[in-house]
Structures are given as C-alpha cells and as structure tokens.
Amino acid sequence: MALYDLKQLLSENSYPGRGIIIGKSEDGRKAMIAYFIMGRSENSRNRIFERFNGGMRTRAFDESKLQDPSLIIYNPYLEVRGDNVYIDIITNGDQTNTLFDKINATREEFAFEKALNTREFEPDAPNFTPRISGALYYSFKDKTFKYKMSILKSNSGNPEACQRYYYNYKSLNGIGHFIHTYKCDGNPIPSFLGEPEEVAIPNSAKEFSLLIWNNLNCDNKVSLFVREVDLETGKSEEIIINKNK
C-alpha cells in the first residue's frame, strides 16, 4: 500500500484540528514525534507551547484574553522515566496525565489501554472532539521502539456512545502514522474517520517540523512540537514553533 503524502494531507485540509504523528526516521536511527494544535476561535488561538522539566504544556499567550481554559490548557507531552524505563506520552488533552499516572504506577503492558478506558471524548457539544493519544516505548539495548495510538470519539455525534480504538505498531524505517481530531472543517466539525494514516517520515526534527508547519493552514495553525530521539544514545532534540511569539 502506498504511503499518504503528508504534505498533501496537511495542505489540502484547512482544519484537521489537533494532530499526532509518530514514526521512525528514514535512516532508522531516530524515533520521531510531532504534535500540532490549530484553532478557529480567539480562545483557541491564544496559546503557545512551553517546555518544562519532564514534559510540555500549553498556556495562554495573553492571559487577559483567556476565556475557558478547561479544554485548551493541558500537558500534551509527559515523560515516564525509571530504571530501564523510557516512555514518551503525547496527547491532545488532560488524558496525558491519566496515562502518565497509570503507566508510571503499574508499568503494565496494557496500562495505555486501561487508562484510556476510563476516559471519553471531550464534552464540547456539538463537536464532541475526539481524544487522540500516543505512547512510545524505547529499548536502547536493541536500538528499537514500538508505539501505540488511540482515538476516543462519539458514535456519529451521539454523546451517549463512546467508541474507543487502539492501534499497536512496530516501528519501521521511514514510516509513521498520523491521527488527527477532525476529518475536515465544518459545523459541527466531523471527527476523524478510519485508521491512522501511514506517512513517510524524514531524517531530522528540523526537516519534519518544516514539512508540517509550512503546510498547516496559515490562519488556523497555532503551535507545533517535534521531538527526535536517537535510538542508540537516547539523546533527544526538540523543536517548538509558536505562531504567537
């Protein structure tokens, strides 16, 4: 099966919403993560990404204009670290903390799924924005990693029915998976449909970030976080781009 063209997926969709891309660099040396947010309202657009020790948060760019922080202020990225444990968690909401608490406490194989079984889509009728999540599990001894992705969404806008989908991937050179909250713009906004889209992954965080940022809708894009992890050394490089500077 041919890979989707990530440039085309982004440039031809004015509003994919929030998106997660996870995969391995073309040369097979690095794990790659990307997370972006978009916004249509002033409240959604009034945000930046900010790194802190152990994770990354969203915060209001102009605190005086912040209206409702409930669904826009959260930790998109958190690190689980311990003896022989190296896990990265990336999501589009406060389920990041739900995943961190469960994975960090139990280290169970299915902690990802068990944690998300306690959560549902966002309560923002009529959109009922899906919760999208990812987790990367590293083995530096073997110079490999695997990853999981998930989407929790309503059944065609029915708030009484949450559909939970889980995906498990073995990382392959140059291949990644892209999942986003919305199929496209609309009113209400239609949720993402189908499996995560399989896309080509470049060799560096810089190339990856430029590919994504330059092809997101100029009016609606807000922030981008890209992280690469060297699978031999564990050394990482990160790029954060905020439209609000």
Side-chain angles (χ1 to χ4, degrees):
M1 180 181 295
L3 299 178
Y4 285 95
D5 183 338
L6 181 57
K7 178 179 179 179
Q8 184 177 7
L9 287 176
L10 295 173
S11 63
E12 295 183 359
N13 188 347
S14 64
Y15 203 65
R18 286 166 274 176
I20 295 172
I21 309 168
I22 302 174
K24 185 186 283 188
S25 62
E26 187 177 8
D27 59 16
R29 296 174 54 191
K30 302 163 191 161
M32 307 289 284
I33 310 171
Y35 176 63
F36 64 80
I37 59 173
M38 307 181 79
R40 299 191 304 177
S41 68
E42 182 182 25
N43 196 43
S44 291
R45 291 177 175 179
N46 180 35
R47 287 185 288 174
I48 60 171
F49 284 164
E50 183 178 77
R51 192 67 160 88
F52 62 89
N53 186 27
M56 188 263 292
R57 63 171 69 92
T58 64
R59 74 170 180 84
F61 174 66
D62 185 342
E63 296 286 348
S64 68
K65 295 181 179 180
L66 180 61
Q67 299 168 19
D68 179 6
S70 61
L71 295 176
I72 66 167
I73 304 300
Y74 55 91
N75 299 321
Y77 169 72
L78 290 175
E79 307 167 351
V80 176
R81 301 290 186 264
D83 295 338
N84 301 315
V85 174
Y86 197 113
I87 302 168
D88 284 339
I89 300 168
I90 190 87
T91 91
N92 73 322
D94 63 13
Q95 73 268 25
T96 315
N97 292 72
T98 305
L99 283 163
F100 177 87
D101 292 343
K102 185 70 172 179
I103 292 172
N104 192 48
T106 68
R107 311 289 168 89
E108 294 176 347
E109 181 179 358
F110 295 106
F112 181 83
E113 292 84 353
K114 289 180 179 179
L116 291 174
N117 281 342
T118 69
R119 302 303 304 268
E120 293 191 346
F121 46 83
E122 296 182 356
D124 59 337
N127 297 318
F128 300 112
T129 299
R131 292 189 186 273
I132 55 174
S133 307
L136 295 81
Y137 302 78
Y138 300 91
S139 174
F140 296 115
K141 180 179 179 181
D142 300 326
K143 302 178 184 179
T144 62
F145 80 102
K146 60 184 179 180
Y147 56 101
K148 298 184 177 187
M149 302 183 84
S150 172
I151 183 168
L152 313 179
K153 61 181 184 175
S154 69
N155 186 351
S156 301
N158 183 348
E160 302 301 320
C162 180
Q163 298 176 317
R164 296 179 174 86
Y165 299 90
Y166 301 105
Y167 305 93
N168 294 273
Y169 298 103
K170 177 181 179 180
S171 59
L172 298 173
N173 293 3
I175 294 177
H177 292 88
F178 175 30
I179 194 165
H180 38 103
T181 52
Y182 305 126
K183 177 183 176 182
C184 57
D185 205 346
N187 191 22
I189 317 174
S191 295
F192 178 86
L193 292 174
E195 296 184 11
E197 297 153 335
E198 198 166 82
V199 296
I201 302 294
N203 274 328
S204 71
K206 181 178 181 180
E207 186 180 356
F208 200 23
S209 63
L210 290 174
L211 171 63
I212 298 169
W213 189 252
N214 289 343
N215 287 289
L216 287 170
N217 180 271
C218 189
D219 293 329
N220 295 324
K221 64 184 179 182
V222 176
S223 294
L224 170 67
F225 171 73
V226 171
R227 173 176 167 84
E228 68 172 47
V229 179
D230 189 296
L231 295 174
E232 183 173 0
T233 66
K235 183 179 179 181
S236 63
E237 179 179 339
E238 296 177 356
I239 295 173
I240 290 178
I241 303 175
N242 291 308
K243 187 175 181 180
N244 295 310
K245 296 180 181 178

